[in-house]
Amino acid sequence: MPFAGPPVNPLSRVFGALELRVLEALWARHRGATVRELAPDVAGVAYTTLMTTLDRLHRKGVLAREKAGRRFVYHPRLTREQLLSSVAGDALSALLGPRADDLRPVVSFFVDAVSNDDRDVLDALDALIRERRQAEDDAP
Amino acid sequence: MTSGWLGVLLGLATLALAHLAGEVVMLAADRAAARGWLDRLGPRTRAGLLLQARLAPLSCAALAVPLVALAFWRFEPSGVVESPGPILPLLSMAGAWLTGSTARRAWRTARTTRALDRAWRAAGERTRIPGWSGDAWVVGTPFPVVAVVGCRRPVLFVARDVVAGCTPAELAVIAAHERAHVESRDNLARMAFAWVPDVTGAGARLEDCWSDAAETLADLRARHAGDGLTLAQALTRVARMAAGPVPSWPVSALIDAGAIETRVRRLLAPASAPGRSPAGVPTVAVAPLAAAAALLALPTVYEAAEWLVRLGR
């Protein structure tokens, strides 16, 4: 089912503008930061507002924090991509609701989910493919 | 009751009866599939038969409702007020429920498909996949998505891990597999499945059987276009990425590696042509004959409709 229109950042449906700025700043640092360390990266935001925002993101489960002396060091639990895919999946699950099995989107998948117990089967199949490939290569 | 209202009730009742007839066809096909009678058929024929069986309620309604409407319009005297028996309103209520259910399912399917498309586009970026000429997006989902979404302008979504983990040759043969689905209009069939209510549950089982046949056919076509070994390798590689927790968004079915094993072993078996499309000539020849027969049967259809109106009175 085609759809028209510009792509929308799915994170903006879940997080406020300031929360997104804070998250982006943390991802850009590639390491954790205290409120004081992060403040220059989020210009124009009061220290207390930044502290409240970080605390809110921590309570939402997006940021982890650990005590360093008298301060907290915050770091993202997920990368930007992981968070995006999580939000994308959750948005769809929410839309589908409890009757997800009843009505599916019009989509065809190359491979469905397999269980961890099936690794042995996959190993055996890979061995078979290698064997067949070897036989083809050896053939004149 | 005026003839206008009577016509409406008759149309809805015909719809319910046609759906009932379609359900009987679905149950018969389901029984045939369960007994393995369809396994001897090639994937193309099997997929075609299962598709027709699953959509039998729709086909029966598409035939019966216009026929009854035509007979009613042709033979019902105008201005006649008639009181129907109790059966007609009951059947027409069932017909109204089926119509509403179809509309609701159509709307929900369109909505979920659009939501999936939007979510993946928003979480991904446009890309080029070798062998795929249409719109393609790479998405950062934890599950190794390789999926075609939509019917009219199908879009290919591929997970970043799949793009990174597969060789260009494997990606090309994956694209050939997905292209085969597009050429077979499999998503159109899926959409039709979603529209037609499945009262007895036979429809869901037929859909699973059809899905298996459609996958087989797409695999065979991709092998015919490329290399079976590479496709088999791509299948196990992507399946290995798929091992783990079930994703939170819907996949078409949760299967074990048994299905992958069947597909891989089939790909490693000696090659056979996937088969050609059935010729359209017989259908074209049969259509006028069927139309003529229907016109000749109009008086009988009208009598049957009158009987239905009076039933139980």
Side-chain angles (χ1 to χ4, degrees), chain B residues 59-108:
Chain B
S59 314
C60 289
L63 276 173
V65 174
L67 198 61
V68 169
L70 194 61
F72 190 77
W73 171 76
R74 172 75 180 79
F75 295 109
E76 179 73 3
S78 59
V80 173
V81 177
E82 199 172 353
S83 298
I87 305 297
L88 187 72
L90 284 176
L91 281 173
S92 60
M93 273 196 284
W97 178 82
L98 285 167
T99 308
S101 177
T102 302
R104 186 184 62 85
R105 291 168 69 94
W107 180 76
R108 280 196 64 186

mmCIF file of all heavy atoms in Angstrom, chain B residues 59-108:
data_model
loop_
_atom_site.group_PDB
_atom_site.id
_atom_site.type_symbol
_atom_site.label_atom_id
_atom_site.label_comp_id
_atom_site.label_asym_id
_atom_site.label_seq_id
_atom_site.Cartn_x
_atom_site.Cartn_y
_atom_site.Cartn_z
ATOM 1 N N SER B 59 -15.922 -14.608 -4.941
ATOM 2 C CA SER B 59 -16.292 -14.944 -6.323
ATOM 3 C C SER B 59 -17.778 -15.277 -6.408
ATOM 4 O O SER B 59 -18.458 -14.832 -7.337
ATOM 5 C CB SER B 59 -15.487 -16.152 -6.811
ATOM 6 O OG SER B 59 -14.145 -16.021 -6.480
ATOM 7 N N CYS B 60 -18.270 -16.069 -5.429
ATOM 8 C CA CYS B 60 -19.694 -16.441 -5.446
ATOM 9 C C CYS B 60 -20.563 -15.188 -5.339
ATOM 10 O O CYS B 60 -21.570 -15.049 -6.052
ATOM 11 C CB CYS B 60 -20.004 -17.389 -4.283
ATOM 12 S SG CYS B 60 -19.303 -19.021 -4.498
ATOM 13 N N ALA B 61 -20.160 -14.279 -4.451
ATOM 14 C CA ALA B 61 -20.938 -13.046 -4.280
ATOM 15 C C ALA B 61 -20.884 -12.200 -5.547
ATOM 16 O O ALA B 61 -21.898 -11.632 -5.963
ATOM 17 C CB ALA B 61 -20.402 -12.265 -3.088
ATOM 18 N N ALA B 62 -19.686 -12.131 -6.159
ATOM 19 C CA ALA B 62 -19.530 -11.320 -7.373
ATOM 20 C C ALA B 62 -20.384 -11.863 -8.513
ATOM 21 O O ALA B 62 -20.798 -11.112 -9.396
ATOM 22 C CB ALA B 62 -18.059 -11.277 -7.778
ATOM 23 N N LEU B 63 -20.630 -13.166 -8.514
ATOM 24 C CA LEU B 63 -21.478 -13.758 -9.551
ATOM 25 C C LEU B 63 -22.957 -13.628 -9.200
ATOM 26 O O LEU B 63 -23.769 -13.236 -10.035
ATOM 27 C CB LEU B 63 -21.146 -15.248 -9.695
ATOM 28 C CG LEU B 63 -19.977 -15.629 -10.585
ATOM 29 C CD1 LEU B 63 -19.704 -17.118 -10.473
ATOM 30 C CD2 LEU B 63 -20.282 -15.271 -12.038
ATOM 31 N N ALA B 64 -23.270 -13.985 -7.954
ATOM 32 C CA ALA B 64 -24.682 -14.136 -7.573
ATOM 33 C C ALA B 64 -25.402 -12.797 -7.420
ATOM 34 O O ALA B 64 -26.539 -12.652 -7.895
ATOM 35 C CB ALA B 64 -24.773 -14.931 -6.280
ATOM 36 N N VAL B 65 -24.759 -11.843 -6.771
ATOM 37 C CA VAL B 65 -25.464 -10.589 -6.459
ATOM 38 C C VAL B 65 -25.880 -9.845 -7.743
ATOM 39 O O VAL B 65 -27.075 -9.479 -7.882
ATOM 40 C CB VAL B 65 -24.630 -9.704 -5.504
ATOM 41 C CG1 VAL B 65 -25.295 -8.345 -5.304
ATOM 42 C CG2 VAL B 65 -24.445 -10.400 -4.161
ATOM 43 N N PRO B 66 -24.977 -9.646 -8.734
ATOM 44 C CA PRO B 66 -25.430 -8.965 -9.959
ATOM 45 C C PRO B 66 -26.508 -9.749 -10.694
ATOM 46 O O PRO B 66 -27.429 -9.163 -11.259
ATOM 47 C CB PRO B 66 -24.149 -8.871 -10.808
ATOM 48 C CG PRO B 66 -23.029 -9.033 -9.861
ATOM 49 C CD PRO B 66 -23.532 -9.928 -8.776
ATOM 50 N N LEU B 67 -26.382 -11.087 -10.656
ATOM 51 C CA LEU B 67 -27.359 -11.911 -11.353
ATOM 52 C C LEU B 67 -28.757 -11.745 -10.738
ATOM 53 O O LEU B 67 -29.738 -11.525 -11.451
ATOM 54 C CB LEU B 67 -26.911 -13.383 -11.266
ATOM 55 C CG LEU B 67 -27.538 -14.351 -12.258
ATOM 56 C CD1 LEU B 67 -27.213 -13.947 -13.688
ATOM 57 C CD2 LEU B 67 -27.063 -15.773 -12.002
ATOM 58 N N VAL B 68 -28.815 -11.806 -9.435
ATOM 59 C CA VAL B 68 -30.108 -11.652 -8.747
ATOM 60 C C VAL B 68 -30.636 -10.228 -8.947
ATOM 61 O O VAL B 68 -31.840 -10.027 -9.193
ATOM 62 C CB VAL B 68 -29.955 -11.988 -7.241
ATOM 63 C CG1 VAL B 68 -31.200 -11.579 -6.466
ATOM 64 C CG2 VAL B 68 -29.697 -13.477 -7.062
ATOM 65 N N ALA B 69 -29.745 -9.260 -8.885
ATOM 66 C CA ALA B 69 -30.155 -7.861 -9.065
ATOM 67 C C ALA B 69 -30.734 -7.662 -10.465
ATOM 68 O O ALA B 69 -31.767 -7.000 -10.635
ATOM 69 C CB ALA B 69 -28.955 -6.938 -8.844
ATOM 70 N N LEU B 70 -30.074 -8.264 -11.446
ATOM 71 C CA LEU B 70 -30.532 -8.145 -12.836
ATOM 72 C C LEU B 70 -31.906 -8.816 -13.003
ATOM 73 O O LEU B 70 -32.815 -8.247 -13.629
ATOM 74 C CB LEU B 70 -29.490 -8.799 -13.759
ATOM 75 C CG LEU B 70 -29.601 -8.507 -15.245
ATOM 76 C CD1 LEU B 70 -29.451 -7.013 -15.506
ATOM 77 C CD2 LEU B 70 -28.535 -9.276 -16.026
ATOM 78 N N ALA B 71 -32.039 -10.015 -12.436
ATOM 79 C CA ALA B 71 -33.309 -10.747 -12.549
ATOM 80 C C ALA B 71 -34.433 -9.970 -11.875
ATOM 81 O O ALA B 71 -35.539 -9.854 -12.411
ATOM 82 C CB ALA B 71 -33.155 -12.128 -11.908
ATOM 83 N N PHE B 72 -34.132 -9.407 -10.716
ATOM 84 C CA PHE B 72 -35.126 -8.647 -9.960
ATOM 85 C C PHE B 72 -35.543 -7.406 -10.744
ATOM 86 O O PHE B 72 -36.719 -7.076 -10.872
ATOM 87 C CB PHE B 72 -34.538 -8.270 -8.596
ATOM 88 C CG PHE B 72 -35.531 -7.701 -7.638
ATOM 89 C CD1 PHE B 72 -36.427 -8.525 -6.965
ATOM 90 C CD2 PHE B 72 -35.585 -6.341 -7.393
ATOM 91 C CE1 PHE B 72 -37.352 -8.005 -6.081
ATOM 92 C CE2 PHE B 72 -36.503 -5.812 -6.515
ATOM 93 C CZ PHE B 72 -37.385 -6.642 -5.854
ATOM 94 N N TRP B 73 -34.570 -6.713 -11.300
ATOM 95 C CA TRP B 73 -34.851 -5.489 -12.070
ATOM 96 C C TRP B 73 -35.661 -5.797 -13.327
ATOM 97 O O TRP B 73 -36.552 -5.059 -13.718
ATOM 98 C CB TRP B 73 -33.510 -4.834 -12.419
ATOM 99 C CG TRP B 73 -33.618 -3.691 -13.376
ATOM 100 C CD1 TRP B 73 -34.053 -2.433 -13.109
ATOM 101 C CD2 TRP B 73 -33.306 -3.731 -14.773
ATOM 102 N NE1 TRP B 73 -34.012 -1.666 -14.244
ATOM 103 C CE2 TRP B 73 -33.569 -2.445 -15.289
ATOM 104 C CE3 TRP B 73 -32.830 -4.716 -15.633
ATOM 105 C CZ2 TRP B 73 -33.363 -2.127 -16.615
ATOM 106 C CZ3 TRP B 73 -32.621 -4.401 -16.966
ATOM 107 C CH2 TRP B 73 -32.895 -3.124 -17.451
ATOM 108 N N ARG B 74 -35.355 -6.964 -13.924
ATOM 109 C CA ARG B 74 -35.995 -7.332 -15.200
ATOM 110 C C ARG B 74 -37.440 -7.802 -15.007
ATOM 111 O O ARG B 74 -38.318 -7.467 -15.794
ATOM 112 C CB ARG B 74 -35.133 -8.436 -15.854
ATOM 113 C CG ARG B 74 -35.711 -9.096 -17.082
ATOM 114 C CD ARG B 74 -35.618 -8.174 -18.301
ATOM 115 N NE ARG B 74 -36.184 -8.803 -19.488
ATOM 116 C CZ ARG B 74 -37.489 -8.892 -19.743
ATOM 117 N NH1 ARG B 74 -38.350 -8.390 -18.891
ATOM 118 N NH2 ARG B 74 -37.929 -9.454 -20.849
ATOM 119 N N PHE B 75 -37.702 -8.567 -13.965
ATOM 120 C CA PHE B 75 -38.997 -9.232 -13.841
ATOM 121 C C PHE B 75 -39.906 -8.705 -12.730
ATOM 122 O O PHE B 75 -41.094 -8.993 -12.731
ATOM 123 C CB PHE B 75 -38.790 -10.745 -13.633
ATOM 124 C CG PHE B 75 -38.156 -11.418 -14.807
ATOM 125 C CD1 PHE B 75 -36.849 -11.888 -14.743
ATOM 126 C CD2 PHE B 75 -38.846 -11.580 -16.000
ATOM 127 C CE1 PHE B 75 -36.254 -12.508 -15.839
ATOM 128 C CE2 PHE B 75 -38.255 -12.199 -17.095
ATOM 129 C CZ PHE B 75 -36.952 -12.662 -17.009
ATOM 130 N N GLU B 76 -39.374 -8.011 -11.766
ATOM 131 C CA GLU B 76 -40.214 -7.542 -10.658
ATOM 132 C C GLU B 76 -41.132 -6.414 -11.147
ATOM 133 O O GLU B 76 -40.647 -5.408 -11.664
ATOM 134 C CB GLU B 76 -39.324 -7.047 -9.502
ATOM 135 C CG GLU B 76 -40.081 -6.510 -8.296
ATOM 136 C CD GLU B 76 -40.754 -7.616 -7.467
ATOM 137 O OE1 GLU B 76 -40.576 -8.812 -7.798
ATOM 138 O OE2 GLU B 76 -41.469 -7.277 -6.512
ATOM 139 N N PRO B 77 -42.445 -6.588 -11.006
ATOM 140 C CA PRO B 77 -43.360 -5.516 -11.435
ATOM 141 C C PRO B 77 -43.153 -4.263 -10.570
ATOM 142 O O PRO B 77 -42.966 -4.391 -9.353
ATOM 143 C CB PRO B 77 -44.754 -6.101 -11.205
ATOM 144 C CG PRO B 77 -44.555 -7.531 -10.840
ATOM 145 C CD PRO B 77 -43.154 -7.723 -10.420
ATOM 146 N N SER B 78 -43.144 -3.119 -11.203
ATOM 147 C CA SER B 78 -42.895 -1.879 -10.443
ATOM 148 C C SER B 78 -44.145 -1.497 -9.642
ATOM 149 O O SER B 78 -45.288 -1.791 -10.050
ATOM 150 C CB SER B 78 -42.502 -0.752 -11.396
ATOM 151 O OG SER B 78 -43.530 -0.557 -12.321
ATOM 152 N N GLY B 79 -43.920 -0.862 -8.515
ATOM 153 C CA GLY B 79 -45.020 -0.344 -7.701
ATOM 154 C C GLY B 79 -45.728 -1.398 -6.863
ATOM 155 O O GLY B 79 -46.751 -1.112 -6.250
ATOM 156 N N VAL B 80 -45.199 -2.607 -6.846
ATOM 157 C CA VAL B 80 -45.842 -3.678 -6.065
ATOM 158 C C VAL B 80 -45.326 -3.642 -4.628
ATOM 159 O O VAL B 80 -44.126 -3.526 -4.392
ATOM 160 C CB VAL B 80 -45.545 -5.058 -6.693
ATOM 161 C CG1 VAL B 80 -46.068 -6.185 -5.797
ATOM 162 C CG2 VAL B 80 -46.179 -5.150 -8.063
ATOM 163 N N VAL B 81 -46.261 -3.706 -3.693
ATOM 164 C CA VAL B 81 -45.867 -3.755 -2.271
ATOM 165 C C VAL B 81 -46.004 -5.198 -1.808
ATOM 166 O O VAL B 81 -47.047 -5.824 -2.010
ATOM 167 C CB VAL B 81 -46.752 -2.820 -1.423
ATOM 168 C CG1 VAL B 81 -46.390 -2.937 0.053
ATOM 169 C CG2 VAL B 81 -46.594 -1.379 -1.891
ATOM 170 N N GLU B 82 -44.954 -5.716 -1.226
ATOM 171 C CA GLU B 82 -44.926 -7.135 -0.876
ATOM 172 C C GLU B 82 -44.379 -7.303 0.537
ATOM 173 O O GLU B 82 -43.453 -6.589 0.940
ATOM 174 C CB GLU B 82 -44.009 -7.871 -1.871
ATOM 175 C CG GLU B 82 -44.247 -9.357 -1.909
ATOM 176 C CD GLU B 82 -43.448 -10.015 -3.050
ATOM 177 O OE1 GLU B 82 -42.836 -9.279 -3.867
ATOM 178 O OE2 GLU B 82 -43.423 -11.236 -3.114
ATOM 179 N N SER B 83 -44.922 -8.252 1.275
ATOM 180 C CA SER B 83 -44.413 -8.523 2.629
ATOM 181 C C SER B 83 -43.551 -9.774 2.597
ATOM 182 O O SER B 83 -44.061 -10.853 2.270
ATOM 183 C CB SER B 83 -45.565 -8.756 3.604
ATOM 184 O OG SER B 83 -46.350 -7.612 3.678
ATOM 185 N N PRO B 84 -42.263 -9.641 2.918
ATOM 186 C CA PRO B 84 -41.405 -10.829 2.883
ATOM 187 C C PRO B 84 -41.644 -11.704 4.099
ATOM 188 O O PRO B 84 -42.145 -11.259 5.132
ATOM 189 C CB PRO B 84 -39.997 -10.235 2.909
ATOM 190 C CG PRO B 84 -40.147 -8.932 3.590
ATOM 191 C CD PRO B 84 -41.529 -8.441 3.304
ATOM 192 N N GLY B 85 -41.254 -12.986 3.987
ATOM 193 C CA GLY B 85 -41.300 -13.899 5.120
ATOM 194 C C GLY B 85 -40.182 -13.562 6.099
ATOM 195 O O GLY B 85 -39.379 -12.653 5.859
ATOM 196 N N PRO B 86 -40.079 -14.304 7.192
ATOM 197 C CA PRO B 86 -39.081 -13.960 8.226
ATOM 198 C C PRO B 86 -37.638 -14.324 7.851
ATOM 199 O O PRO B 86 -36.699 -13.798 8.447
ATOM 200 C CB PRO B 86 -39.535 -14.795 9.435
ATOM 201 C CG PRO B 86 -40.295 -15.930 8.852
ATOM 202 C CD PRO B 86 -40.921 -15.449 7.585
ATOM 203 N N ILE B 87 -37.471 -15.205 6.885
ATOM 204 C CA ILE B 87 -36.104 -15.668 6.562
ATOM 205 C C ILE B 87 -35.296 -14.578 5.853
ATOM 206 O O ILE B 87 -34.108 -14.382 6.126
ATOM 207 C CB ILE B 87 -36.160 -16.950 5.684
ATOM 208 C CG1 ILE B 87 -36.987 -18.028 6.378
ATOM 209 C CG2 ILE B 87 -34.753 -17.464 5.375
ATOM 210 C CD1 ILE B 87 -36.419 -18.513 7.706
ATOM 211 N N LEU B 88 -35.972 -13.872 4.937
ATOM 212 C CA LEU B 88 -35.253 -12.864 4.149
ATOM 213 C C LEU B 88 -34.603 -11.780 5.023
ATOM 214 O O LEU B 88 -33.412 -11.477 4.844
ATOM 215 C CB LEU B 88 -36.195 -12.234 3.121
ATOM 216 C CG LEU B 88 -35.506 -11.280 2.140
ATOM 217 C CD1 LEU B 88 -34.658 -12.039 1.145
ATOM 218 C CD2 LEU B 88 -36.519 -10.419 1.403
ATOM 219 N N PRO B 89 -35.345 -11.204 5.989
ATOM 220 C CA PRO B 89 -34.672 -10.195 6.841
ATOM 221 C C PRO B 89 -33.495 -10.779 7.630
ATOM 222 O O PRO B 89 -32.478 -10.110 7.805
ATOM 223 C CB PRO B 89 -35.786 -9.736 7.790
ATOM 224 C CG PRO B 89 -37.043 -10.051 7.100
ATOM 225 C CD PRO B 89 -36.784 -11.275 6.289
ATOM 226 N N LEU B 90 -33.656 -12.047 8.078
ATOM 227 C CA LEU B 90 -32.561 -12.667 8.834
ATOM 228 C C LEU B 90 -31.320 -12.821 7.955
ATOM 229 O O LEU B 90 -30.191 -12.482 8.366
ATOM 230 C CB LEU B 90 -32.996 -14.051 9.360
ATOM 231 C CG LEU B 90 -33.936 -14.041 10.555
ATOM 232 C CD1 LEU B 90 -34.358 -15.466 10.909
ATOM 233 C CD2 LEU B 90 -33.241 -13.399 11.762
ATOM 234 N N LEU B 91 -31.549 -13.322 6.742
ATOM 235 C CA LEU B 91 -30.410 -13.494 5.823
ATOM 236 C C LEU B 91 -29.802 -12.147 5.450
ATOM 237 O O LEU B 91 -28.584 -12.015 5.308
ATOM 238 C CB LEU B 91 -30.872 -14.231 4.563
ATOM 239 C CG LEU B 91 -31.029 -15.743 4.679
ATOM 240 C CD1 LEU B 91 -31.650 -16.316 3.403
ATOM 241 C CD2 LEU B 91 -29.670 -16.405 4.929
ATOM 242 N N SER B 92 -30.672 -11.152 5.276
ATOM 243 C CA SER B 92 -30.140 -9.835 4.883
ATOM 244 C C SER B 92 -29.338 -9.206 6.021
ATOM 245 O O SER B 92 -28.371 -8.484 5.791
ATOM 246 C CB SER B 92 -31.254 -8.896 4.428
ATOM 247 O OG SER B 92 -32.154 -8.721 5.468
ATOM 248 N N MET B 93 -29.716 -9.539 7.259
ATOM 249 C CA MET B 93 -28.907 -9.040 8.396
ATOM 250 C C MET B 93 -27.514 -9.670 8.366
ATOM 251 O O MET B 93 -26.507 -9.002 8.592
ATOM 252 C CB MET B 93 -29.608 -9.360 9.716
ATOM 253 C CG MET B 93 -30.606 -8.294 10.122
ATOM 254 S SD MET B 93 -31.081 -8.419 11.840
ATOM 255 C CE MET B 93 -32.185 -9.781 11.808
ATOM 256 N N ALA B 94 -27.484 -10.974 8.052
ATOM 257 C CA ALA B 94 -26.192 -11.656 7.927
ATOM 258 C C ALA B 94 -25.374 -11.033 6.795
ATOM 259 O O ALA B 94 -24.158 -10.825 6.921
ATOM 260 C CB ALA B 94 -26.405 -13.144 7.673
ATOM 261 N N GLY B 95 -26.071 -10.714 5.694
ATOM 262 C CA GLY B 95 -25.385 -10.077 4.558
ATOM 263 C C GLY B 95 -24.842 -8.715 4.934
ATOM 264 O O GLY B 95 -23.725 -8.346 4.545
ATOM 265 N N ALA B 96 -25.637 -7.961 5.708
ATOM 266 C CA ALA B 96 -25.181 -6.626 6.141
ATOM 267 C C ALA B 96 -23.971 -6.754 7.057
ATOM 268 O O ALA B 96 -23.006 -5.976 6.958
ATOM 269 C CB ALA B 96 -26.318 -5.909 6.865
ATOM 270 N N TRP B 97 -23.998 -7.750 7.939
ATOM 271 C CA TRP B 97 -22.858 -7.965 8.840
ATOM 272 C C TRP B 97 -21.606 -8.305 8.025
ATOM 273 O O TRP B 97 -20.514 -7.786 8.293
ATOM 274 C CB TRP B 97 -23.167 -9.094 9.828
ATOM 275 C CG TRP B 97 -22.010 -9.378 10.726
ATOM 276 C CD1 TRP B 97 -21.676 -8.702 11.850
ATOM 277 C CD2 TRP B 97 -21.009 -10.383 10.536
ATOM 278 N NE1 TRP B 97 -20.515 -9.226 12.382
ATOM 279 C CE2 TRP B 97 -20.089 -10.264 11.609
ATOM 280 C CE3 TRP B 97 -20.798 -11.381 9.583
ATOM 281 C CZ2 TRP B 97 -18.974 -11.094 11.733
ATOM 282 C CZ3 TRP B 97 -19.698 -12.204 9.708
ATOM 283 C CH2 TRP B 97 -18.805 -12.062 10.773
ATOM 284 N N LEU B 98 -21.766 -9.169 7.010
ATOM 285 C CA LEU B 98 -20.614 -9.552 6.172
ATOM 286 C C LEU B 98 -20.058 -8.340 5.428
ATOM 287 O O LEU B 98 -18.850 -8.158 5.319
ATOM 288 C CB LEU B 98 -21.024 -10.637 5.167
ATOM 289 C CG LEU B 98 -21.198 -12.040 5.744
ATOM 290 C CD1 LEU B 98 -21.904 -12.946 4.748
ATOM 291 C CD2 LEU B 98 -19.833 -12.631 6.115
ATOM 292 N N THR B 99 -20.986 -7.491 4.926
ATOM 293 C CA THR B 99 -20.549 -6.294 4.205
ATOM 294 C C THR B 99 -19.768 -5.369 5.138
ATOM 295 O O THR B 99 -18.694 -4.869 4.788
ATOM 296 C CB THR B 99 -21.773 -5.534 3.635
ATOM 297 O OG1 THR B 99 -22.561 -6.450 2.894
ATOM 298 C CG2 THR B 99 -21.354 -4.386 2.739
ATOM 299 N N GLY B 100 -20.315 -5.175 6.345
ATOM 300 C CA GLY B 100 -19.637 -4.317 7.320
ATOM 301 C C GLY B 100 -18.293 -4.885 7.727
ATOM 302 O O GLY B 100 -17.299 -4.159 7.829
ATOM 303 N N SER B 101 -18.262 -6.199 7.922
ATOM 304 C CA SER B 101 -17.017 -6.851 8.330
ATOM 305 C C SER B 101 -15.960 -6.707 7.236
ATOM 306 O O SER B 101 -14.786 -6.434 7.519
ATOM 307 C CB SER B 101 -17.303 -8.334 8.609
ATOM 308 O OG SER B 101 -16.121 -8.996 8.937
ATOM 309 N N THR B 102 -16.392 -6.878 5.980
ATOM 310 C CA THR B 102 -15.445 -6.735 4.860
ATOM 311 C C THR B 102 -14.886 -5.313 4.816
ATOM 312 O O THR B 102 -13.673 -5.119 4.658
ATOM 313 C CB THR B 102 -16.144 -7.085 3.528
ATOM 314 O OG1 THR B 102 -16.633 -8.413 3.622
ATOM 315 C CG2 THR B 102 -15.197 -6.971 2.346
ATOM 316 N N ALA B 103 -15.781 -4.344 4.977
ATOM 317 C CA ALA B 103 -15.340 -2.939 4.934
ATOM 318 C C ALA B 103 -14.368 -2.645 6.082
ATOM 319 O O ALA B 103 -13.336 -1.998 5.882
ATOM 320 C CB ALA B 103 -16.559 -2.021 5.012
ATOM 321 N N ARG B 104 -14.691 -3.164 7.268
ATOM 322 C CA ARG B 104 -13.828 -2.921 8.434
ATOM 323 C C ARG B 104 -12.462 -3.572 8.238
ATOM 324 O O ARG B 104 -11.423 -2.982 8.509
ATOM 325 C CB ARG B 104 -14.499 -3.490 9.688
ATOM 326 C CG ARG B 104 -13.784 -3.186 10.991
ATOM 327 C CD ARG B 104 -14.468 -3.885 12.158
ATOM 328 N NE ARG B 104 -14.435 -5.340 12.025
ATOM 329 C CZ ARG B 104 -13.421 -6.111 12.411
ATOM 330 N NH1 ARG B 104 -12.351 -5.568 12.933
ATOM 331 N NH2 ARG B 104 -13.457 -7.414 12.240
ATOM 332 N N ARG B 105 -12.465 -4.794 7.711
ATOM 333 C CA ARG B 105 -11.200 -5.504 7.495
ATOM 334 C C ARG B 105 -10.372 -4.789 6.429
ATOM 335 O O ARG B 105 -9.151 -4.684 6.561
ATOM 336 C CB ARG B 105 -11.481 -6.948 7.078
ATOM 337 C CG ARG B 105 -12.082 -7.794 8.188
ATOM 338 C CD ARG B 105 -12.605 -9.105 7.645
ATOM 339 N NE ARG B 105 -11.528 -9.980 7.215
ATOM 340 C CZ ARG B 105 -10.976 -10.915 7.979
ATOM 341 N NH1 ARG B 105 -11.418 -11.118 9.195
ATOM 342 N NH2 ARG B 105 -10.002 -11.657 7.526
ATOM 343 N N ALA B 106 -11.054 -4.304 5.385
ATOM 344 C CA ALA B 106 -10.330 -3.598 4.318
ATOM 345 C C ALA B 106 -9.673 -2.345 4.880
ATOM 346 O O ALA B 106 -8.499 -2.049 4.611
ATOM 347 C CB ALA B 106 -11.301 -3.234 3.193
ATOM 348 N N TRP B 107 -10.420 -1.617 5.686
ATOM 349 C CA TRP B 107 -9.894 -0.371 6.252
ATOM 350 C C TRP B 107 -8.721 -0.653 7.187
ATOM 351 O O TRP B 107 -7.690 0.010 7.134
ATOM 352 C CB TRP B 107 -11.010 0.363 6.997
ATOM 353 C CG TRP B 107 -10.563 1.644 7.593
ATOM 354 C CD1 TRP B 107 -10.331 2.812 6.930
ATOM 355 C CD2 TRP B 107 -10.259 1.883 8.965
ATOM 356 N NE1 TRP B 107 -9.907 3.770 7.807
ATOM 357 C CE2 TRP B 107 -9.856 3.236 9.061
ATOM 358 C CE3 TRP B 107 -10.300 1.116 10.113
ATOM 359 C CZ2 TRP B 107 -9.481 3.812 10.263
ATOM 360 C CZ3 TRP B 107 -9.928 1.686 11.315
ATOM 361 C CH2 TRP B 107 -9.521 3.010 11.380
ATOM 362 N N ARG B 108 -8.881 -1.666 8.050
ATOM 363 C CA ARG B 108 -7.819 -1.975 9.018
ATOM 364 C C ARG B 108 -6.552 -2.476 8.321
ATOM 365 O O ARG B 108 -5.443 -2.144 8.702
ATOM 366 C CB ARG B 108 -8.307 -3.029 10.018
ATOM 367 C CG ARG B 108 -9.175 -2.438 11.102
ATOM 368 C CD ARG B 108 -9.306 -3.385 12.258
ATOM 369 N NE ARG B 108 -8.020 -3.629 12.905
ATOM 370 C CZ ARG B 108 -7.826 -4.503 13.880
ATOM 371 N NH1 ARG B 108 -8.817 -5.223 14.300
ATOM 372 N NH2 ARG B 108 -6.657 -4.653 14.419
#
